Amino acid sequence: MKAIIFNGSLERRTESTSGLISRYLSERLSQSGVQADIFTLADSGIPLFDTTLTKTPLAVERMTQMFLGVDLHFWLAPLYHGSIPGVMKNCLDWLEVTANTYEPYLTDKTVGLVCWADGLQAMHGINAMDVIAKSLRAWPLPFSVPIVRGSLFDSDHPTQISPLYSGKFDQLISIATTKKIEKTTIKQS
């Protein structure tokens, strides 16, 4: 089984929220026997979506191959002004280049959704990604992880995911890799 972790943030710092979540998911997926690649939007070189181009940009070809060549997707996004970053949506819009293929867009791909915000509004980003995933013919998981950023990290270790959210991420991975929803208890800290 192969997965892609789509880091839809423009953060480049190794200790950024998106970097730490990406690494956590990658390590956990690896422990589950899933090969995971991280697609970092900030380093991708994806141009603005332009339907008038006669040739698909190389960065878009690479992105498309990565996105279509896996079984699972995990989309990560910060909440910016009520939704996901525009550059993330722009990147996903480029999947239009697959419109005339046998299985266009993200047909039948499974997508796990993660969004964080400083307040309680991260669900707005989850909802936006859910609509986009469905529009791309993917199957968003029935469990997602909206994050209150102030509770994401362990108070004693500021670069370590808190027990609350590590439990939620682990459950997301479990559902994505087994397609089963099992009752788990998530520890509150």
Side-chain angles (χ1 to χ4, degrees):
M1 186 177 285
K2 294 168 95 178
I4 189 164
I5 298 163
F6 178 24
N7 177 349
S9 170
L10 289 180
E11 298 176 301
R12 284 193 167 96
R13 296 173 293 113
T14 54
E15 302 301 315
S16 67
T17 298
S18 60
L20 293 168
I21 295 171
S22 294
R23 249 191 329 272
Y24 181 89
L25 292 175
S26 178
E27 290 168 6
R28 289 293 213 232
L29 285 163
S30 179
Q31 291 169 3
S32 298
V34 177
Q35 177 189 335
D37 291 316
I38 299 172
F39 181 84
T40 304
L41 186 56
D43 299 327
S44 69
I46 300 293
L48 290 174
F49 181 56
D50 185 350
T51 58
T52 64
L53 294 178
T54 56
K55 181 161 175 29
T56 303
L58 183 58
V60 172
E61 287 180 12
R62 285 187 196 129
M63 178 270 301
T64 303
Q65 288 172 357
M66 288 180 75
F67 278 41
L68 299 182
V70 299
D71 308 294
L72 303 172
H73 284 236
F74 293 90
W75 294 359
L76 317 177
L79 187 74
Y80 289 163
H81 308 288
S83 191
I84 62 172
V87 294
M88 183 178 186
K89 174 68 167 66
N90 175 74
C91 182
L92 292 166
D93 286 342
W94 272 108
L95 289 168
E96 187 62 29
V97 301
T98 69
N100 294 322
T101 61
Y102 175 68
E103 290 187 328
Y105 313 110
L106 298 177
T107 300
D108 292 331
K109 302 292 182 189
T110 300
V111 182
L113 306 173
V114 177
C115 184
W116 58 93
D118 285 332
L120 299 173
Q121 297 82 19
M123 200 61 204
H124 293 300
I126 299 287
N127 290 337
M129 289 187 287
D130 183 80
V131 169
I132 294 165
K134 288 175 181 170
S135 296
L136 291 170
R137 303 180 186 177
W139 295 96
L141 292 173
F143 179 82
S144 57
V145 184
I147 299 167
V148 176
R149 189 168 176 320
S151 301
L152 176 59
F153 299 107
D154 188 292
S155 56
D156 296 328
H157 303 94
T159 59
Q160 186 175 17
I161 306 292
S162 70
L164 171 65
Y165 284 107
S166 63
K168 290 181 181 199
F169 292 146
D170 292 348
Q171 186 171 9
L172 182 68
I173 289 168
S174 175
I175 293 168
T177 57
T178 65
K179 306 288 192 289
K180 294 179 185 174
I181 300 174
E182 298 174 5
K183 186 172 179 158
T184 60
T185 55
I186 298 173
K187 299 175 188 173
Q188 298 278 344
S189 58

